[in-house]
Amino acid sequence: MLSRRGLVSNLKLATAAARSYATPASPIDTALRTALKTAMKAKDSFKAGVIKSALADLQNASHLPSPPSPSKTLAKSIASRLDGASTFDSSTPPRPDLAEQYRNEAAILKEFVEPEPEAMDPAELDAVVKKVVEGLGLASIGGKDSGRVIKGVMDTLAGKAGGKEVSEAVKRFVMAA
């Protein structure tokens, strides 16, 4: 039998464990949970199953040491379903019924993917890179400095340009300097 001290200690451990996984809900998570409720009320078991699977993927990813963003986790889920569809298409004998099921699952999940940022004008992006470099007070950009510049540009643009475009703009700036 546990003493009072043992019970209090176990209670503290249990609440700490429950609290450690509590993270603020992302917009994707909230949208998935809302769609799950709607699908369950409509008795659409296929859609509800797909959404439950995506929520499970998000939950599992949140327990990783450095969890990826929910959009990356959802993109990975979509990619795995499309890969499965192509596998069923090319299998011997082909299974078009299962391939179509996987494509339908991917189509359901694509509804929750955040839209890609529109491509920004390269000249405008170069101007932002120049402004950030001047703001950081850098005469030239070295290895570690390029990461600081990319981070500064990404913070300045706040999602208006993708990381690849920003990285290419910083490389162009380094080459021109």
Side-chain angles (χ1 to χ4, degrees):
M1 180 149 185
L2 286 174
S3 67
R4 178 175 160 85
R5 180 177 289 163
L7 287 174
V8 171
S9 175
N10 286 347
L11 181 62
K12 286 180 182 177
L13 288 175
T15 40
R19 202 177 313 121
S20 68
Y21 293 117
T23 57
S26 68
I28 292 175
D29 188 59
T30 306
L32 282 168
R33 290 185 189 283
T34 303
L36 176 62
K37 288 178 189 174
T38 305
M40 290 173 79
K41 285 179 182 177
K43 299 188 191 263
D44 186 352
S45 61
F46 179 73
K47 188 172 185 176
V50 172
I51 295 170
K52 284 179 184 179
S53 173
L55 285 169
D57 291 343
L58 290 173
Q59 183 69 29
N60 289 337
S62 72
H63 295 299
L64 295 173
S66 57
S69 69
S71 59
K72 286 184 181 179
T73 304
L74 194 59
K76 187 176 179 183
S77 296
I78 292 169
S80 69
R81 283 170 170 80
L82 293 176
D83 183 47
S86 66
T87 301
F88 282 121
D89 279 336
S90 63
S91 66
T92 306
R95 295 289 309 265
D97 55 331
L98 292 176
E100 187 61 29
Q101 177 184 344
Y102 273 57
R103 281 192 204 89
N104 290 340
E105 289 178 8
I108 289 170
L109 293 179
K110 282 182 182 178
E111 297 173 13
F112 303 101
V113 175
E114 296 170 352
E116 291 290 320
E118 294 182 21
M120 197 171 178
D121 181 38
E124 186 179 343
L125 189 57
D126 290 340
V128 172
V129 170
K130 185 176 180 182
K131 188 184 296 182
V132 168
V133 169
E134 290 170 356
L136 291 173
L138 300 173
S140 64
I141 300 176
K144 290 184 179 180
D145 294 333
S146 63
R148 287 176 44 206
V149 172
I150 290 172
K151 183 179 183 310
V153 172
M154 293 296 285
D155 291 343
T156 302
L157 296 177
K160 294 180 185 174
K164 187 175 181 180
E165 291 85 14
V166 172
S167 176
E168 290 172 358
V170 170
K171 287 177 185 174
R172 281 195 307 268
F173 184 81
V174 170
M175 296 297 213

